[in-house]
């Protein structure tokens, strides 16, 4: 792999050297932050591509990838495509595995950013320990040249990450005085959307920020994106104008479909993430909080138990359905979930996810928040080893249009 990185770079005419590359690492927030940065830069007239968990996006065209950070040969191929199409900047998620396995070897980063650190990707085939995982992330700061490092001052590992870094360090945070400081977080909700408002203070100037995602974590993502964009020449005010309408595919993605109802698609697919998502949405005082969820085939019973506990504890109404059952019987997966679901809580079982989505749209009424959990950015259902095309967003919009045109009737319960 080490040799492959060197050869791939040369094979593709060292295109990476002529791009301004922004690398984002950390446990949570990489995808959202990277996509927000790309949106801000493109909105400011800077042609910026994206590489990460949501694939590769170059000039509006989307390419699928297997890994968050592709293998070096694939990576350099896309760098060459970017250069040929006039792209000048690229923001990419840099995973710990990518750093360990030399996928980004030989890259010169214009800027690198650090979001946060918590135990993850530890086990067979990944990292042997938290310390190994932590130190793999740190390689981005110790082994790669970059002009700027943008770090979360509120995170306990930010000092460890940057103690040997030789470039310019720029901080952001909510609790610690920083170069970019967020304060005064409040929630907002309008006819179809929700999110947060806060103030960003930088160099004595205060800029109001609105994001269409909930929670303090959204403020961190937004501050990081603003800070990174600033070193690329984009002012916080200009960044704020883009962030007001920015949406991240599959990450608390708002689907503007029916007036008075908030539909969200999120990748929450384990107990912790679903609990967090539902708790955040509770803060918006919904008439009803409706949750559509399932559990992936071939995974542990513990995950199904955790999902069941989360939904039955925090949702007003749950629709239990399929989520990438693969080679496992979807009805068997649902039975596992129901062993731990509080059956006294309003719910129903709809095995086919298409039917489940349609039912959720039809039953939604003014003031409701409907969370479609698990699929996120995915555009398929994994069934019997095959990826079957499936777009939750398209289903929601199509069903909503049919309701508005009077082709079908709603059945709010």
């Amino acid at each position: 792999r080490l040799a492959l990185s060197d050869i791939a770079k040369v094979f593709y005419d060292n295109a990476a050297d002529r791009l301004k590359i922004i690398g984002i690492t950390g446990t949570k927030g990489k995808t959202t932050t990277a996509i927000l940065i790309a949106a801000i830069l493109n909105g400011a007239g800077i042609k910026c591509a994206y590489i990460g968990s949501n694939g590769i996006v170059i000039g509006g065209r989307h390419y699928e990838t297997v890994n968050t950070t592709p293998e070096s040969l694939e990576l350099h191929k896309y760098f060459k495509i970017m250069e040929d199409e006039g792209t000048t900047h690229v923001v990419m998620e840099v995973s710990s595995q990518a750093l360990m396995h030399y996928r980004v070897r030989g890259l010169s980063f214009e800027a690198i950013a650090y979001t946060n650190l918590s135990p993850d990707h530890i086990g067979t085939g990944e990292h042997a320990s938290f310390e190994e995982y932590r130190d793999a992330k740190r390689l981005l700061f110790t082994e790669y040249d970059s002009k700027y490092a943008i770090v979360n001052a509120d995170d306990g590992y930010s000092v460890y990450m940057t103690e040997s870094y030789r470039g310019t360090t720029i901080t952001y945070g909510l609790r610690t005085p920083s170069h970019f400081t967020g304060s005064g977080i409040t929630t907002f909700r309008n006819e179809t959307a929700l999110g947060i408002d806060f103030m960003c203070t930088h160099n004595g100037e205060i800029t109001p920020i609105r994001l269409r995602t909930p929670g303090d974590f959204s403020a961190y993502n937004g501050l990081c994106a603003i800070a990174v964009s600033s070193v690329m020449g984009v002012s916080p005010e200009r960044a704020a104008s883009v962030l007001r309408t920015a949406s991240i595919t599959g990450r608390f993605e708002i689907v503007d479909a029916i007036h008075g109802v908030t539909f969200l698609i999120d990748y929450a697919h384990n107990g912790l993430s679903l609990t967090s998502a539902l708790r955040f949405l509770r803060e918006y005082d919904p008439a009803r909080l409706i949750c559509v969820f399932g559990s992936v085939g071939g995974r542990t019973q513990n995950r199904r138990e955790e999902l069941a506990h989360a939904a039955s504890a925090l949702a007003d109404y749950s629709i239990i359905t399929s989520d990438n059952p693969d080679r496992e019987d979807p009805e068997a997966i649902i039975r596992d979930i129901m062993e731990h679901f509080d059956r006294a809580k309003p719910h129903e079982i709809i095995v086919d996810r298409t039917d489940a989505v349609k039912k959720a749209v039809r039953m939604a009424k003014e003031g409701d928040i409907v969370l479609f959990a698990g699929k996120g950015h995915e555009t398929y259902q994994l069934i019997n080893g095959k990826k079957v095309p499936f777009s939750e967003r398209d289903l929601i919009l199509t069903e909503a249009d049919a309701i508005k045109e009077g082709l079908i009737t709603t059945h709010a319960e």
Side-chain angles (χ1 to χ4, degrees):
R1 279 191 167 118
L2 188 152
L4 180 63
S5 293
D6 294 347
I7 295 168
K9 185 179 179 185
V10 175
F11 182 81
Y12 285 107
D13 195 28
N14 297 296
D17 290 343
R18 295 180 291 278
L19 296 168
K20 290 187 183 297
I21 303 174
I22 303 162
I24 313 291
T25 199
T27 301
K28 298 174 183 176
K30 294 190 301 297
T31 300
T32 297
T33 302
I35 293 174
L36 289 179
I37 293 167
I40 292 170
L41 296 184
N42 281 304
I46 299 169
K47 295 187 73 171
C48 182
Y50 159 81
I51 300 172
S53 298
N54 279 21
I56 297 175
V57 180
I58 306 170
R61 287 201 313 282
H62 183 270
Y63 304 86
E64 293 287 345
T65 58
V66 175
N67 300 312
T68 296
T69 310
E71 289 288 356
S72 58
L73 184 62
E74 183 182 10
L75 197 57
H76 285 281
K77 178 183 77 171
Y78 284 107
F79 286 150
K80 181 60 176 166
I81 292 172
M82 292 172 197
E83 184 189 31
D84 289 346
E85 297 194 3
T87 299
T88 57
H89 293 59
V90 55
V91 56
M92 60 183 294
E93 300 176 49
V94 183
S95 68
S96 56
Q97 292 291 318
L99 289 160
M100 278 185 63
H101 296 303
Y102 308 108
R103 294 178 199 163
V104 293
R105 172 181 162 84
L107 297 187
S108 293
F109 291 90
E110 184 74 7
I112 54 179
Y114 167 71
T115 59
N116 50 65
L117 194 71
S118 58
D120 199 8
H121 301 291
I122 299 166
T124 304
E126 294 192 274
H127 295 284
S129 65
F130 172 73
E131 289 73 23
E132 181 184 289
Y133 171 64
R134 175 199 65 194
D135 291 347
K137 295 282 190 189
R138 189 170 182 251
L139 291 172
L140 188 59
F141 296 86
T142 59
E143 302 300 319
Y144 294 83
D145 291 329
S146 70
K147 292 182 181 178
Y148 305 97
I150 293 86
V151 300
N152 179 356
D154 292 342
D155 185 85
Y157 290 97
S158 61
V159 173
Y160 178 78
M161 291 290 167
T162 57
E163 61 186 1
S164 298
Y165 174 69
R166 296 181 296 275
T168 301
T169 299
I170 296 171
T171 58
Y172 66 93
L174 299 176
R175 301 187 302 273
T176 308
S178 308
H179 294 102
F180 293 82
T181 304
S183 61
I185 298 175
T186 58
T187 60
F188 82 85
R189 187 178 179 196
N190 57 28
E191 290 78 11
T192 58
L194 53 77
I196 60 168
D197 291 312
F198 67 95
M199 296 297 174
C200 171
T201 303
H202 172 61
N203 284 343
E205 295 189 3
I206 299 175
T207 306
I209 308 296
R210 168 163 285 193
L211 294 169
R212 283 163 52 106
T213 48
D216 286 1
F217 70 91
S218 293
Y220 282 111
N221 295 338
L223 284 169
C224 185
I226 292 166
V228 171
S229 299
S230 75
V231 303
M232 299 296 151
V234 181
S235 69
E237 185 178 17
R238 185 72 180 269
S241 68
V242 174
L243 293 175
R244 289 184 68 85
T245 57
S247 184
I248 311 300
T249 302
R251 301 297 201 277
F252 273 112
E253 178 186 0
I254 292 168
V255 183
D256 299 299
I258 296 175
H259 186 87
V261 180
T262 304
F263 295 105
L264 298 108
I265 298 171
D266 193 68
Y267 193 49
H269 58 285
N270 57 39
L272 180 61
S273 58
L274 184 59
T275 296
S276 296
L278 292 171
R279 281 180 176 163
F280 281 128
L281 296 177
R282 276 271 162 228
E283 295 178 8
Y284 292 86
D285 194 25
R288 292 178 304 174
L289 181 52
I290 300 168
C291 181
V292 179
F293 77 102
S295 187
V296 175
R299 299 300 173 90
T300 65
Q301 175 73 26
N302 284 345
R303 176 177 289 192
R304 295 169 191 180
E305 180 178 352
E306 291 168 358
L307 287 165
H309 289 321
S312 56
L314 294 166
D316 296 311
Y317 194 94
S318 296
I319 299 177
I320 300 93
T321 185
S322 299
D323 181 354
N324 292 341
D326 199 7
R327 301 187 188 280
E328 195 170 352
D329 179 2
E331 294 188 9
I333 296 172
I334 292 172
R335 283 196 296 272
D336 287 344
I337 293 171
M338 293 308 299
E339 284 183 13
H340 306 282
F341 191 90
D342 182 353
R343 292 175 181 268
K345 298 295 180 70
H347 70 279
E348 65 181 297
I349 295 169
I350 303 178
V351 178
D352 184 276
R353 193 165 183 117
T354 296
D355 293 338
V357 171
K358 289 180 178 180
K359 174 60 187 294
V361 175
R362 293 180 188 182
M363 72 178 290
K365 57 187 179 183
E366 188 167 351
D368 288 346
I369 295 176
V370 186
L371 174 66
F372 300 88
K375 297 299 297 174
H377 61 280
E378 294 175 351
T379 55
Y380 60 84
Q381 274 278 59
L382 189 59
I383 299 173
N384 293 322
K386 296 181 179 179
K387 289 184 176 180
V388 179
F390 178 89
S391 170
E392 212 148 52
R393 180 183 179 84
D394 288 351
L395 274 173
I396 295 166
L397 290 171
T398 300
E399 197 70 6
D401 286 344
I403 291 170
K404 286 182 280 191
E405 293 170 12
L407 301 177
I408 58 175
T409 57
T410 61
H411 43 92
E413 296 185 3

